[in-house]
Amino acid sequence: KDLTNLDIEQGPALLRFLALFAALGSFGCACWRLFNIFSALVHPVTSILYIYIAAFALTTMLFEAKHEWIEKVGILDKYQNMLIERCSFLTVMGGRGLFYFFQATLWLTFAKSFNEILEFAVAGALGFVGILHLFAHWDIMPHHLAQKAVEAKKKAISETEKLLKKDIDGDGKIGA
């Protein structure tokens, strides 16, 4: 199949960044847990589940990154194309939102007490991003909301530069 014209629905840059950050946290936490050799020997099924979670985190990063970046790495492009063909729900924000929420629930299965703060944090981040993706899918959260926040930030920096008469954002201009 030719997947070159496929459109992967992506939200605003801020939402994509949050999803990438949550996925990176999930991947890091899964790898951290996998390196406990004693636990891997005593609970091999749990280790297999951590491998699945790490693969899900990498998949999350793959769909939130710019497609132009993925196309440059052949194996990633082939993997993404296979997922697009067989798991087309990942191409829409609502489908990915449910996928992220699913990943959050997987992490919650490991959080048996408040000592597992990493699991709670990763679950919370993935759940939050999943809910935001669902809101964006249903147009409850407008896609342009993040863009408005970026524009407000630029305006605030510009006004601050004018007030201080100093370039604080490093663009070589004051108040631009």
Side-chain angles (χ1 to χ4, degrees):
K1 274 188 178 176
D2 181 25
L3 300 173
T4 55
N5 292 327
L6 182 75
D7 187 27
I8 297 173
E9 185 181 35
Q10 292 189 317
L14 180 61
L15 182 56
R16 289 175 39 213
F17 173 77
L18 290 174
L20 283 167
F21 186 74
L24 188 61
S26 181
F27 182 76
C29 193
C31 289
W32 176 257
R33 294 295 185 180
L34 276 170
F35 287 122
N36 183 344
I37 302 299
F38 177 74
S39 178
L41 293 173
V42 176
H43 303 289
V45 175
T46 302
S47 296
I48 292 169
L49 190 54
Y50 286 134
I51 292 169
Y52 291 154
I53 291 172
F56 292 161
L58 290 173
T59 299
T60 296
M61 290 182 225
L62 194 64
F63 277 88
E64 294 301 335
K66 288 185 178 181
H67 188 66
E68 297 82 38
W69 299 347
I70 304 304
E71 286 178 323
K72 293 179 181 178
V73 183
I75 194 166
L76 293 180
D77 192 41
K78 286 180 183 178
Y79 177 62
Q80 186 180 51
N81 288 343
M82 185 269 302
L83 289 172
I84 289 168
E85 187 176 326
R86 294 193 169 102
C87 307
S88 60
F89 67 92
L90 292 173
T91 64
V92 293
M93 292 186 66
R96 284 199 314 279
L98 291 173
F99 179 59
Y100 302 160
F101 201 77
F102 168 71
Q103 290 178 69
T105 62
L106 289 177
W107 277 114
L108 287 177
T109 64
F110 296 112
K112 295 174 181 68
S113 72
F114 286 109
N115 291 335
E116 284 90 6
I117 192 73
L118 284 176
E119 286 83 351
F120 277 116
V122 169
L126 285 166
F128 178 69
V129 167
I131 289 169
L132 289 179
H133 272 75
L134 289 171
F135 284 169
H137 178 76
W138 291 317
D139 288 329
I140 296 171
M141 178 188 79
H143 292 283
H144 63 278
L145 188 64
Q147 185 61 35
K148 285 184 179 181
V150 169
E151 290 170 9
K153 174 186 166 192
K154 286 180 182 178
K155 184 177 179 183
I157 289 173
S158 175
E159 294 300 319
T160 304
E161 285 180 343
K162 288 176 186 174
L163 183 68
L164 297 175
K165 295 180 176 39
K166 184 177 181 181
D167 177 23
I168 60 174
D169 63 359
D171 66 354
K173 302 174 188 170
I174 296 175

